[in-house]
Amino acid sequence: MSEEFNQHFSVLLQESIDALRIKPDGIYFDCTFGRGGHSRKILDALGENGRLYAIDQDPQAIAYAKEHFDDPRFEIIYGSFEQLNDYCRERDLLGKVDGVLMDLGVSSPQLDDADRGFSFMREGPLDMRMNTEAGLSAKEWLQQVDEDTLKKVLKNYGEERFSGRIARVIKEAVGANQLNTTKDLAELVDKASPKKEKNKHPATRTFQAIRIAVNRELDVLKNVLEASLEVLAPSGRLAVISFHSLEDRIAKVFIRDQSRIRDLFPDSPVQIEVIEPVLKKIGKPIFPSKEECEINPRSRSAVLRIAERLNESSN
């Protein structure tokens, strides 16, 4: 594994560690290990009886963890964080976890490795899978998806204004066997876009949308947020770092809804049943400092949201 692809700046590093309010003997989950920046910082804060479990579905990340994280307090889990509940159940950790950290999106090593197919800036195969050993690649997905569904994906996941036009030319290129690399896709979208945004490549939204669809990112996020309610111990912390508005909206709404009383039958003239709050929202959203954005421009869109699991007596 090239060292070039191991370079990674952990976004909102100190802020996310502070958010977890780490106990020396606590149990923590880093749901998106990447290259272990957050994991390393958590381990530094743990005592000898503390425990950190990290999850990643990227085989390169797993290999990196096994090579660089030789610590009896640490365990790396190969798989999707969508199965957080299962991992905790297998280890008898349901309701016992003191902190869950999610650093969403694509890591710098994944973006910088042309063979992964995430970036329109580097020519490589149209892959875009977080887990290169499972599921359809972006090329395979584009071959199977119909034009109308692709249009909806580009519009909903990429917030692409020209989704219909771009979907049409993509499917035409697929039919003519002219869409094989990231460069093919980037050039295709560039030509199909009638207007260009300043300082933004025309293919940015299309690549984001296809990546989200291929990896089911939004559904996975919704599922793991729900799982965190069963996993966290009373007073356990949830910290979520997102990088685009779709992810952040899901995290924001989830924390908001779980932090207030909800009426199951709001249209009834008599209150029949309510759900008591499970979480407490902690503070306001946290954004990277100007200094961090200058050092790592990819952090500019990051947002950190924090919540705390309420005690049963508080419900």
Side-chain angles (χ1 to χ4, degrees), residues 6 18 28 42 86 89 91 99 112-113 129 136 138 140 145 152 175 227 234 247 261 271 276 302 311:
N6 287 338
D18 291 343
Y28 295 87
I42 293 171
D86 294 334
R89 188 175 293 107
R91 293 162 178 79
D112 294 338
D113 186 349
R129 289 174 295 172
L136 297 175
E140 293 167 333
V145 71
K152 292 176 181 176
E247 291 174 337
I261 295 175
Q271 190 176 79
E276 297 289 343
N311 297 320

Side-chain angles (χ1 to χ4, degrees), residues 102 220-230 238 240 247 250-252 254-255 279:
M102 303 175 194
V220 169
L221 175 57
K222 291 174 184 176
N223 291 338
V224 74
L225 287 172
E226 288 289 341
S228 70
L229 299 179
E230 190 176 357
L238 171 67
V240 183
E247 291 174 337
I250 290 171
K252 176 183 178 180
F254 174 79
I255 292 174
L279 296 176

Side-chain angles (χ1 to χ4, degrees), residues 54-73:
I55 306 169
D56 211 295
Q57 59 182 335
D58 185 339
Q60 290 186 0
I62 297 299
Y64 185 88
K66 291 180 177 178
E67 182 179 351
H68 294 88
F69 279 69
D70 182 15
D71 191 312
R73 304 169 300 167

Side-chain angles (χ1 to χ4, degrees), residues 198-219:
K198 188 177 180 181
N199 299 324
K200 192 167 191 174
H201 193 286
T204 301
R205 298 181 186 278
T206 294
F207 269 68
Q208 173 184 298
I210 294 172
R211 189 202 82 216
I212 288 173
V214 165
N215 294 287
R216 297 178 45 251
E217 292 179 33
L218 302 186
D219 288 337

Side-chain angles (χ1 to χ4, degrees), residues 24 69 126 144:
F69 279 69
L126 266 179
Q144 295 188 17

Side-chain angles (χ1 to χ4, degrees), residues 17-306:
I17 301 306
D18 291 343
L20 292 175
R21 205 173 54 182
I22 295 173
K23 304 173 184 177
D25 59 349
I27 300 170
Y28 295 87
F29 267 82
D30 179 356
C31 288
T32 44
F33 175 79
R35 290 302 181 270
H38 290 104
S39 284
R40 182 69 69 191
K41 199 76 171 176
I42 293 171
L43 285 170
D44 287 344
L46 288 176
E48 61 180 18
N49 295 320
R51 188 73 173 166
L52 172 63
Y53 300 86
I55 306 169
D56 211 295
Q57 59 182 335
D58 185 339
Q60 290 186 0
I62 297 299
Y64 185 88
K66 291 180 177 178
E67 182 179 351
H68 294 88
F69 279 69
D70 182 15
D71 191 312
R73 304 169 300 167
F74 176 80
E75 180 183 344
I76 185 70
I77 301 170
Y78 179 34
S80 170
F81 63 32
E82 187 175 18
Q83 275 76 57
L84 177 62
N85 254 2
D86 294 334
Y87 304 142
C88 288
R89 188 175 293 107
E90 291 165 2
R91 293 162 178 79
D92 190 28
L93 294 176
L94 288 178
K96 301 177 182 178
V97 176
D98 296 294
V100 173
L101 172 65
M102 303 175 194
D103 179 9
L104 307 173
V106 184
S107 69
S108 294
Q110 289 171 327
L111 282 170
D112 294 338
D113 186 349
D115 289 340
R116 301 302 299 273
F118 285 110
S119 176
F120 48 79
M121 302 297 291
R122 296 170 172 80
E123 183 169 20
L126 266 179
D127 196 312
M128 299 194 195
R129 289 174 295 172
M130 300 289 189
N131 184 347
T132 54
E133 298 177 351
L136 297 175
S137 68
K139 179 181 178 180
E140 293 167 333
W141 183 82
L142 288 170
Q143 289 171 341
Q144 295 188 17
V145 71
D146 62 80
E147 184 179 321
D148 187 56
T149 300
L150 178 57
K151 174 185 174 181
K152 292 176 181 176
V153 165
L154 297 180
K155 182 178 180 180
N156 296 331
Y157 293 171
E159 299 175 301
E160 174 56 66
R161 290 182 295 165
F162 310 114
S163 57
R165 181 195 297 257
I166 293 172
R168 183 171 63 254
V169 298
I170 286 177
K171 289 305 294 184
E172 288 173 355
V174 169
N177 197 27
Q178 296 175 344
L179 191 58
N180 299 295
T181 69
T182 52
K183 183 180 179 182
D184 292 339
L185 179 58
E187 291 179 348
L188 196 70
V189 176
D190 190 14
K191 292 177 182 177
S193 301
K195 295 182 180 180
K196 309 291 193 293
E197 294 181 57
K198 188 177 180 181
N199 299 324
K200 192 167 191 174
H201 193 286
T204 301
R205 298 181 186 278
T206 294
F207 269 68
Q208 173 184 298
I210 294 172
R211 189 202 82 216
I212 288 173
V214 165
N215 294 287
R216 297 178 45 251
E217 292 179 33
L218 302 186
D219 288 337
V220 169
L221 175 57
K222 291 174 184 176
N223 291 338
V224 74
L225 287 172
E226 288 289 341
S228 70
L229 299 179
E230 190 176 357
V231 164
L232 286 169
S235 300
R237 288 289 184 96
L238 171 67
V240 183
I241 303 172
S242 57
F243 288 86
H244 57 74
S245 60
L246 298 175
E247 291 174 337
D248 183 52
R249 192 176 305 134
I250 290 171
K252 176 183 178 180
V253 171
F254 174 79
I255 292 174
R256 181 198 68 195
D257 288 350
Q258 298 297 335
S259 299
R260 65 186 186 187
I261 295 175
R262 286 172 291 155
D263 191 344
L264 293 180
F265 301 94
D267 297 328
S268 172
V270 179
Q271 190 176 79
I272 299 174
E273 185 177 357
V274 298
I275 298 178
E276 297 289 343
V278 182
L279 296 176
K280 177 175 68 174
K281 185 176 77 168
I282 303 297
K284 296 181 178 180
I286 297 173
F287 303 91
S289 65
K290 181 181 178 181
E291 291 74 20
E292 178 171 359
C293 292
E294 290 175 351
I295 295 171
N296 178 21
R298 288 174 180 166
S299 71
R300 287 176 296 190
S301 60
V303 184
L304 169 63
R305 294 186 184 273
I306 311 162

